[in-house]
Amino acid sequence: MKNSNDIQNESPSGLAKYKDNLLSLKSSFLGSFLRSGMPTSDKSRTAVVVNNFFLHLHGAKTHINTLRPSFTLGLGIISFSLLVIAFISGGFLMVYYSPAIETAYNNIKDINFVVFGGRLMRNVHKWSGEAMIIFVLLHMARVVYTNSYKRGREFNWVIGVILLIVTFVVNLTGYMLPWDQLSYWALVIVANIAAAPKELTDIFGITQYFDIGGDTKKILLGGTEPGQDSLTRVYLLHIIVLPLAICTALGVHFWRIRKDGGLSKPDAIKSTGNGVVNITPAQKTGGIFPTHKTYGLMELAKGRTPAVDNDVENTVTSWPHLFIAEIAIFILTLAAVIAYSYFVDAPLKELANPMIPENPAKAPWYFLGLQELVSYSAFMGGQGLPGLAIAGLLMIPYLDREQEDIGIWFSNRQGKMIALESFVVSAITVIGSLAFVINFGWFRNWWPNIHQLWIIAINPGNLLLGFVVAYSLWVIKRTDSTRMGAISLFTMFLVSYVILTYTGTVLRGPNWEFYWSASQWPIH
Amino acid sequence: MSEKARDKDKVTRRDFLGLAAFGAAILGSIGTLMGSLRFVKSDVYAEESKKFKIGKVENFPIGSTKKLDEKNVFIFSDDNGLFAISAICTHLGCIVFPAEFGFQCPCHGSQYTKNGDVIGGPAPRPLEWFQIQQEVDGTLFVDAGKIVPQGTKYIFA
């Protein structure tokens, strides 16, 4: 007994320990939170990245090439920032919105005119979502033009294309939620585009047995015409299904960037130490491991360690160099979205009226290029051509496997020339074919009784796509380089999308007729 | 055929069971997927009936045209009888309006003759014609679920 009393006297009593713990609460909590102490040395800066759930998505060190603003233009981070803004503002909107056709429109009106900050919040949600489309497309353009879809990044490009599609669809479903005239008639048009394979099944006379178009439309609408069930389904897609799809695909997208060795970069890149970046010849190293010895399992499994290349000396700690850049881009994006939303209001028309279509009834702007195409054939414009365009985008990294000149804008001088040439050629072709159709019409105007199959097979949209494919093949033949073909193909895709969208948005008026501007529209 | 080659071609019990299990798993997955898709294609639509009354014959004197806005149907009456033409464009479902040549769609510029035949724009099919019937008390009703051949006109007493 005496012995154990001695021991107790030597160590502090329970209450004393409790008191000490209480006094050191701040430092012990911070220690447990940060785990590696304040990031003041390179070692602890590395540790903070490795130990933090949110930061460990990044490498502990970042290559200087990744931080070059002129390389990425920050487009990926801008897109992600817009997504975060849209998620948060969308959560706020859900406080007042309920997806019932009797109340939805009034809820949006309340948000716009009654709720404190409601109009700004709705504008922020709307514009951040739509800006995502622009920046995701620009981000794709950066990846194509800097040759960054190679060396293990092929599948990440595929995920990127999926993210582009989801971005389009999530914007579209959001457009339908206010249940105003815009929502209603966009839903009608989209549902009928979903039903467009009917054009084909009708021709073969099998619609009554196998009506895939009609069934898709019924599944989308939850009925044969837009109603409560349609709004429920669109809402479900907009707030659960598509956001989950985005989060999942984006998680994989980010994770693979790390696993594929960070952003693409030229084979040899060297910092002179004062911010100037020079490209130098690659350093040769020998041995079975390309640059260094390792016993890491990851290297044995993959053949190389993630994010390590033969120029380790050209990396800097991610904290603070990378994080400061990311936070700056996020803040600038948020500021730009709020400023734009302060001045420009999201549209809201009259309550949905199934009896009176808008004239012109236009889809949201990002689909007006497609609407221009569906004004030739609903099936080709709404499903066939977008499907082929997406297939073409998906195949780019698998059809162009040249491994040179990675991480350099336009690869080389020839690439710049090809991009410029494709830009000019496709601009002239697209504008020319639109001008032709606007002036002279198409088959149905010349031969009113022509069979629908002819129009599905031969219409300006198909001819444009055929031209783009043929021209990029010719570029490959002429330059002996699939890389040049990829540059050409993507340039023409982008130019066509922009010009068609512009035409559908600005140059089309009532009855889808051509007007130079909305001020020339006839007054009813 | 040598002994070895035959052995190579032979499906062992292990292979057979493995393939059978794999096939069953694939079939089961497809079945589950189809069933799930069938779930979202509802059997009951909370929609109004496709049949609707349009009143007595006297409402439609010969030569008259009426548009039933809520039903998106035109009712015409001429020397050969009554007929009902859908106002829903067969392209993408907008509502057509009467024009000199017949009907015009505001969305993508489809144009139809007075009989509903396509004469311009992207519409793939003519406008639909609906069945008109008479109830015992003399009231007429249109069944927008029943499409009749173009030119079907009805004469009622």
Side-chain angles (χ1 to χ4, degrees):
Chain A
M1 291 306 283
K2 203 174 182 207
N3 273 346
S4 66
N5 268 346
D6 284 348
I7 292 162
Q8 268 181 8
N9 287 340
E10 279 161 24
S11 61
S13 69
L15 273 180
K17 277 194 283 185
Y18 178 78
K19 184 183 154 216
D20 284 347
N21 291 350
L22 202 58
L23 288 174
S24 60
L25 189 60
K26 186 186 156 204
S27 64
S28 60
F29 175 77
L30 273 178
S32 73
F33 177 67
L34 292 168
R35 284 197 277 205
S36 41
M38 293 301 280
T40 47
S41 67
D42 272 9
K43 180 176 175 293
S44 56
R45 281 176 188 150
T46 308
V48 78
V49 177
V50 174
N51 288 336
N52 183 293
F53 173 78
F54 298 101
L55 298 184
H56 92 283
L57 204 59
H58 306 83
K61 298 192 88 184
T62 305
H63 196 276
I64 48 166
N65 185 61
T66 302
L67 295 170
R68 244 183 340 135
S70 65
F71 181 63
T72 61
L73 306 177
L75 294 168
I77 295 291
I78 293 177
S79 307
F80 178 64
S81 306
L82 289 167
L83 179 74
V84 171
I85 295 167
F87 270 1
I88 293 173
S89 54
F92 276 104
L93 294 183
M94 281 174 70
V95 172
Y96 289 102
Y97 179 83
S98 60
I101 52 176
E102 293 84 14
T103 57
Y105 181 72
N106 290 335
N107 292 155
I108 301 294
K109 273 200 153 177
D110 283 348
I111 289 172
N112 251 10
F113 300 112
V114 181
V115 174
F116 175 80
R119 186 197 309 233
L120 185 72
M121 194 64 84
R122 176 164 175 258
N123 293 348
V124 164
H125 187 63
K126 168 98 177 170
W127 301 134
S128 58
E130 294 198 347
M132 256 179 84
I133 291 174
I134 298 174
F135 281 95
V136 169
L137 277 170
L138 289 174
H139 173 59
M140 282 179 91
R142 193 280 290 173
V143 169
V144 170
Y145 290 135
T146 59
N147 211 0
S148 300
Y149 48 87
K150 290 172 182 167
R151 294 198 195 161
R153 300 181 185 85
E154 290 85 358
F155 189 70
N156 219 7
W157 167 263
V158 172
I159 294 170
V161 174
I162 292 170
L163 280 166
L164 173 74
I165 300 168
V166 181
T167 305
F168 272 115
V169 181
V170 81
N171 266 285
L172 181 68
T173 49
Y175 193 79
M176 292 161 180
L177 295 180
W179 209 247
D180 61 348
Q181 278 286 72
L182 295 173
S183 310
Y184 185 88
W185 289 100
L187 185 55
V188 169
I189 289 176
V190 166
N192 283 295
I193 285 178
K198 229 182 186 144
E199 272 183 37
L200 271 186
T201 51
D202 271 354
I203 285 169
F204 300 116
I206 53 169
T207 305
Q208 48 180 324
Y209 313 109
F210 179 68
D211 184 12
I212 183 162
D215 285 348
T216 316
K217 178 181 171 181
K218 279 179 194 157
I219 287 177
L220 178 68
L221 290 183
T224 55
E225 52 201 46
Q228 178 58 54
D229 285 321
S230 324
L231 186 58
T232 308
R233 282 165 195 227
V234 167
Y235 184 66
L236 177 71
L237 283 174
H238 187 74
I239 64 152
I240 298 278
V241 179
L242 297 169
L244 272 181
I246 288 188
C247 290
T248 311
L250 204 57
V252 180
H253 200 61
F254 287 161
W255 182 79
R256 283 189 86 110
I257 294 174
R258 281 293 307 288
K259 294 293 165 180
D260 296 340
L263 300 190
S264 70
K265 49 190 163 290
D267 286 327
I269 192 160
K270 198 168 174 61
S271 168
T272 53
N274 48 9
V276 185
V277 176
N278 290 327
I279 293 171
T280 58
Q283 306 280 314
K284 276 269 179 195
T285 49
I288 48 165
F289 298 113
T291 54
H292 54 284
K293 277 188 183 174
T294 180
Y295 299 96
L297 262 180
M298 191 108 68
E299 173 131 8
L300 292 175
K302 293 196 56 153
R304 57 188 161 80
T305 49
V308 173
D309 228 314
N310 55 357
D311 50 355
V312 187
E313 70 275 12
N314 283 333
T315 57
V316 291
T317 48
S318 298
W319 181 301
H321 299 92
L322 176 62
F323 301 143
I324 271 192
E326 288 183 349
I327 291 169
I329 291 176
F330 177 80
I331 291 173
L332 285 177
T333 309
L334 182 61
V337 170
I338 291 177
Y340 189 79
S341 302
Y342 185 79
F343 291 108
V344 185
D345 282 340
L348 185 66
K349 294 251 177 147
E350 302 80 25
L351 178 64
N353 185 347
M355 287 175 264
I356 304 167
E358 290 278 289
N359 191 0
K362 289 195 177 187
W365 63 265
Y366 37 90
F367 278 126
L368 285 183
L370 287 184
Q371 190 164 353
E372 186 63 33
L373 295 179
V374 296
S375 69
Y376 312 131
S377 153
F379 174 69
M380 285 316 291
Q383 295 196 2
L385 293 172
L388 288 171
I390 286 163
L393 285 179
L394 287 175
M395 283 191 298
I396 284 181
Y398 300 98
L399 296 183
D400 166 31
R401 306 186 65 83
E402 287 168 19
Q403 300 296 312
E404 298 89 41
D405 294 328
I406 282 173
I408 301 169
W409 277 91
F410 299 103
S411 289
N412 49 44
R413 214 184 122 63
Q414 190 186 28
K416 276 181 203 159
M417 295 313 293
I418 290 290
L420 186 64
E421 175 194 309
S422 306
F423 176 83
V424 173
V425 168
S426 55
I428 292 172
T429 314
V430 176
I431 293 172
S433 54
L434 284 174
F436 178 86
V437 174
I438 287 164
N439 279 312
F440 304 110
W442 198 247
F443 288 0
R444 182 91 69 201
N445 305 82
W446 310 333
W447 309 293
N449 292 322
I450 193 168
H451 198 274
Q452 181 67 22
L453 194 57
W454 285 109
I455 294 173
I456 291 179
I458 306 175
N459 66 57
N462 298 18
L463 295 180
L464 262 183
L465 184 79
F467 174 80
V468 165
V469 172
Y471 195 86
S472 58
L473 286 176
W474 184 60
V475 166
I476 292 175
K477 181 166 180 282
R478 197 169 39 135
T479 59
D480 243 344
S481 159
T482 52
R483 168 73 185 138
M484 294 303 127
I487 290 179
S488 174
L489 184 76
F490 188 81
T491 308
M492 297 180 122
F493 160 78
L494 214 54
V495 169
S496 311
Y497 178 80
V498 171
I499 295 181
L500 287 171
T501 303
Y502 178 80
T503 309
T505 310
V506 181
L507 304 180
R508 291 298 194 174
N511 302 344
W512 207 244
E513 277 160 19
F514 179 84
Y515 295 92
W516 282 110
S517 81
S519 60
Q520 296 174 340
W521 291 7
I523 300 154
H524 289 290
Chain B
M1 195 187 274
S2 74
E3 191 77 46
K4 250 188 180 170
R6 210 181 307 137
D7 274 359
K8 213 178 161 191
D9 290 341
K10 217 171 88 180
V11 177
T12 63
R13 182 188 300 171
R14 180 175 296 227
D15 286 346
F16 173 76
L17 290 174
L19 282 172
F22 186 68
I26 296 278
L27 278 179
S29 309
I30 293 174
T32 312
L33 187 71
M34 299 303 281
S36 314
L37 279 178
R38 186 62 189 82
F39 176 90
V40 298
K41 190 190 169 206
S42 50
D43 290 310
V44 183
Y45 298 140
E47 288 173 0
E48 289 175 27
S49 167
K50 294 277 180 194
K51 290 183 190 173
F52 50 89
K53 292 184 178 176
I54 56 173
K56 306 267 184 192
V57 189
E58 295 80 64
N59 295 353
F60 304 97
I62 289 172
S64 70
T65 304
K66 262 192 189 173
K67 186 179 175 222
L68 305 178
D69 278 338
E70 288 183 22
K71 307 294 180 184
N72 289 319
V73 169
F74 290 102
I75 310 285
F76 293 93
S77 174
D78 66 14
D79 295 337
N80 298 320
L82 280 179
F83 53 103
I85 299 182
S86 164
I88 296 173
C89 180
T90 57
H91 180 230
L92 292 178
C94 295
I95 311 298
V96 300
F97 57 85
E100 297 145 41
F101 45 82
F103 305 98
Q104 163 85 46
C105 180
C107 290
H108 303 93
S110 289
Q111 293 170 338
Y112 303 86
T113 62
K114 291 192 161 59
N115 279 333
D117 282 321
V118 186
I119 47 171
R125 292 181 298 275
L127 292 176
E128 288 164 345
W129 287 48
F130 297 134
Q131 192 182 55
I132 307 179
Q133 284 179 313
Q134 195 169 29
E135 301 220 42
V136 265
D137 63 352
T139 330
L140 303 179
F141 68 95
V142 173
D143 187 351
K146 286 208 175 117
I147 296 160
V148 295
Q150 203 181 74
T152 312
K153 299 181 181 179
Y154 299 89
I155 296 176
F156 301 101

